[in-house]
Structure formats: structure tokens, C-alpha cells
Amino acid sequence: MKKSLLILLLGLLSVALVACGGGGDDDSAGEAEEVEVIGEDIEDATEITFWTFVGQHVDLYSDAAERWNEENPDRAIKLVAETYPFEQMHNNLLLAIQSGQGGPDIADIEIGQFPNYLQGEVQLEPLNEYVEPVLENAVTSRFENYAKDGNYYGVPTHVGATVMFYNTEIMDEAGVDIDAIETWDDFVAAGEQVVANTDSMMWNVGTEDWLMDMWPMISQQDSDAFDENGELTLDNQTNIDTLQFLQDVIYEHEIAEVTPGGMNQSEEFYGYFSDGGSASILAPLWYMGRFLDNMPDLEGKIAIRPMPAWEEGGKRSAGMGGTGTVVTNQSEDVELAKEFLAYAKLSEEGNINLWTVLGFDPPRWDTWESEEVQADNKYYDYFGDGIFDMLLEVRDDINQLNFTENTPDVISEFHTNVTQQTIRNDSQTPQEALEQAADAVRSEMDQ
């Protein structure tokens, strides 16, 4: 029941949690939405099946398969890439893992779902021989999200570094220097200037945005909903103070308002922000794609900067969202599947392609200053230069996230009760709301 509840809840929250733009309606027929085959005409090619819930990810593996076959004609692969709706794919994969049959060679697993696949005797293949050699040049916390008992089972798709996106047109009108915003106190002061001198708000706080508001803001303070031992810490003092800040920017400082549509990944919000409703967005770097796809008129008006710190010299980023790609123990050629996955996502060229093909910040920071990553593309055209220079400054600020099978209970309580009573209605104090939510989650944990 607990595993089924986990999948159901995280499926419903996939719009907010899927860093790479996944999600979708369930398809009870069990058919893949899309199937792409690379290398089907190569004689004696070894078939490798790949399941994903994000069609865009197929581009990365298709490119890798074509390069692999050119470089390894004696070990050619036939890549069969199948794209499914979010909930359906994770349900099917978990059933295949539990039954020991019917699974793919390689699969994407959304970060919030990953704990499901590490329960009991893990049916995924350890990837240490490929992961460990690159860790010294990578944001290691993102690999730890997919690890258990010293084994790395998933390869991250991006860092997901959380940043601030500022509308420079509004900030200039308000007389605010965005490079002078170093702390959250600076942010509030800048917001007061924005509200006083423009027709815009400074910011928005979501009621369905644990990933975009609360989580990164507590993570940068070395806090989380659970500690590293799985103990619930949702109602600790750091979290209470952070929620108090979110409540205060609306009702005391009056520089923010509730996010239209409840989250900054809604059509209502895209229109609001495009029309100058507010001056900033807190989101992971992968949110760049949301600007290009949904707010094209803001090209040249959006600047990316680190998160404000809670104190001078404090951490200025957090890693949010993500997808870990795994090799199942059902693969007929485990070693080939592992080697191909490492080639596609862990190699230097693979990491470069995470940026050039998908527009994601690669986990290997040693590629951030490469000629290929620095070359002009649509993201630099939209946001300007210096994106990876900024990331190099904050790469060590990114903490590991603590996921448990009760993570969806926390998210459900936060969206259903906590934000409604503190952010939308201002009818409870943050301490009251978080303590009430923590009691509800503890009841679930005791069942």
C-alpha cells in the first residue's frame, strides 16, 4: 500500500517534481506513446531497450547510440527507446522489478520515485565502476541522491541548480542593481523598491510549489523534511523560520503575492509573468526551457543570478528535481548496457550533450568551461552569457536531498494544508501548520 501510495501521489505532483518536463495522463492500454529505434538495420546488433517518461530525453540517447555504433562497429547496439506517461512508466517498471521479468535494460526514474526501487534487495545494477572515476570533477551530491549502502544505482541528468531569474526591465525601472542582492534581506529591500517604483510585485509564493519555494530555501540552510537517517524534521526551527519568511513577504513586507495558478509552471502564471506581474522567479536552471517555450517575448529581459543567501557567505543554491537513469538486472547484456549508459551520460561528450541537446546543467562541472558548452546557442541568446561562470561559483553549495517512502506524505500535507493555511489564507502560524503537518506524516509513518 505504501509503495502504491507513493507512486500515486508523486504521479499527481509530477508537474512540479519532474525536472525535465515529464508527466502526462495515464494510458491504461499499456502502450508506449512513442517508440524510436536506432540501429535496426545493423546486422547482429545487440538490442537495448530504454524506458523514459520524457520524450525529450530520447534525443540524448539516440545521438549517443549513433555515435556508439560509429565508434564500436563490432559491438553495435539496436536502441529501442520507448516513451510512456509518467505514472504508467513508473508503475510498469516497479511491477517488472518486483516480478523479475518484463523490464527494460535501461530506464529513467524520477528522483522522487527513486526510493521505491531501493527497497529490500535492490534489483538495479551498481554503476560504481563508471561513477566513481568522475566524482572528483562532478557535483557529487546529485549522485548521492541515487545511492544506497555505498553503491551508485542511478546517473543524474542534471545538477538542477536553483537560481533567481530577474526581469531586468522591471528591476532597472525600480532602480535595483540585481548584483547587489546577496542575502534574503537584500532581496526584501529590493522588493520594496520594486513595489514602490513600478506596477509589479517582486516575487510570488506558490501553494503547490514545494520544489520551487520551500525545499530549495531550506536545503540551502542544510535542512530538509527528513534527515540523513530518515527521521522527520519537517517542523524543525529552520523550516518554521523559512515558512515564516514566505508568509511575511506577502502579508508583512507586501512585496509578493500568491503564485497565479498555484505554481510557476502553470499557463496562468506564464501569462502573468510575461505581462510584468512580478520581477523574479526562484527555480532550478532547467526552468530556462519554460521561458523559451512559454514566455518567448521576454528574450533579452531575463538575467540569471544565484539565490540570495540567508546570511553573508551562506549557500546560494540548491539542487532540485532530477532523473536518475538505471540499468536493471534483467538486461541480457548488463555490461554492455552499463557501458552504453556511461557513454551517453557520464562521458565528457555525454555531459556536454546534456547541455547542447537538452539544455540541462551537466553534473560534470569540468565540462562547464568547454568550448562546446560556451558556444552560442538559444539559451545564451535568451539569457545572455555567464550562466556557467555563475554555476562554478555555487557548485559546492548544492546539498544532497533526503528522500524516503514518506516524502509524498510531506508534499501532500504541504500543498493540501500547510500552504493553504499560511500562504493563501494567513489563518495559521508557520509553526502551527508545520507541527500539524508533521503529526499527520508521523501517523502515516506509524501505520
Side-chain angles (χ1 to χ4, degrees), residues 283-296:
L285 196 67
W286 48 257
Y287 193 87
M288 289 189 300
R290 306 298 192 268
F291 278 100
L292 270 68
D293 292 341
N294 301 286
M295 296 173 277

Side-chain angles (χ1 to χ4, degrees), residues 277-324:
S278 63
S280 64
I281 296 175
L282 175 67
L285 196 67
W286 48 257
Y287 193 87
M288 289 189 300
R290 306 298 192 268
F291 278 100
L292 270 68
D293 292 341
N294 301 286
M295 296 173 277
D297 293 343
L298 295 179
E299 180 173 344
K301 300 178 182 179
I302 304 298
I304 304 174
R305 295 293 186 272
M307 293 174 65
W310 287 97
E311 58 186 10
E312 188 174 345
K315 293 180 178 179
R316 301 195 65 187
S317 192
M320 290 290 125
T323 299

Side-chain angles (χ1 to χ4, degrees), residues 218 222-225 232-241 434:
I218 63 175
D222 301 322
S223 186
D224 207 327
L232 186 70
T233 58
L234 178 62
D235 54 346
N236 69 21
Q237 193 59 50
T238 297
N239 297 354
I240 290 171
D241 292 344
L434 287 178

Side-chain angles (χ1 to χ4, degrees), residues 262-279:
M263 62 172 62
N264 63 24
Q265 296 188 87
S266 67
E267 290 301 322
E268 187 176 350
F269 177 78
Y270 295 143
Y272 162 91
F273 196 81
S274 294
D275 292 338
S278 63

Side-chain angles (χ1 to χ4, degrees), residues 66-249:
E66 291 175 355
R67 288 187 290 108
W68 172 277
N69 288 338
E70 289 177 4
E71 298 172 20
N72 302 277
D74 58 331
R75 303 175 65 212
I77 65 172
K78 174 186 175 183
L79 178 69
V80 180
E82 303 177 3
T83 303
Y84 295 88
F86 180 91
E87 183 178 346
Q88 179 194 331
M89 196 222 75
H90 286 93
N91 272 316
N92 289 353
L93 182 61
L94 188 58
L95 289 172
I97 292 294
Q98 291 173 337
S99 67
Q101 60 183 358
D105 297 281
I106 300 173
D108 278 344
I109 301 177
E110 192 270 328
I111 191 170
Q113 302 274 351
F114 214 87
N116 279 334
Y117 303 87
L118 300 181
Q119 301 297 318
E121 185 176 349
V122 181
Q123 303 298 303
L124 308 176
E125 289 292 324
L127 302 169
N128 294 45
E129 61 188 300
Y130 297 103
V131 170
E132 289 174 349
V134 307
L135 287 179
E136 65 177 353
N137 295 319
V139 180
T140 57
S141 62
R142 301 307 280 166
F143 289 84
E144 296 299 331
N145 289 322
Y146 310 112
K148 179 181 181 180
D149 297 332
N151 286 322
Y152 295 96
Y153 293 103
V155 178
T157 305
H158 55 63
V159 175
T162 302
V163 297
M164 294 299 306
F165 295 91
Y166 292 108
N167 184 317
T168 56
E169 194 171 67
I170 297 173
M171 301 302 272
D172 289 345
E173 182 184 351
V176 173
D177 176 6
I178 60 174
D179 290 315
I181 302 175
E182 297 185 356
T183 67
W184 283 109
D185 286 341
D186 296 336
F187 183 86
V188 171
E192 291 171 348
Q193 284 186 247
V194 168
V195 172
N197 298 318
T198 75
D199 293 328
S200 304
M201 300 300 289
M202 178 62 171
W203 193 33
N204 301 96
V205 180
T207 54
E208 300 174 38
D209 255 356
W210 167 260
L211 180 72
M212 300 291 190
D213 295 329
M214 186 74 170
W215 210 352
M217 294 174 74
I218 63 175
S219 179
Q220 68 173 146
Q221 300 174 81
D222 301 322
S223 186
D224 207 327
F226 296 89
D227 66 17
E228 63 274 13
N229 299 314
E231 295 296 321
L232 186 70
T233 58
L234 178 62
D235 54 346
N236 69 21
Q237 193 59 50
T238 297
N239 297 354
I240 290 171
D241 292 344
T242 303
L243 184 58
Q244 184 68 63
F245 176 85
L246 290 172
Q247 189 180 56
D248 287 348
V249 293

Side-chain angles (χ1 to χ4, degrees), residues 395-410:
R395 74 183 190 209
D396 295 330
D397 292 353
I398 295 171
N399 288 322
Q400 177 184 349
L401 301 175
N402 298 320
F403 290 94
T404 77
E405 61 181 304
N406 294 100
T407 295
D409 297 322
V410 167

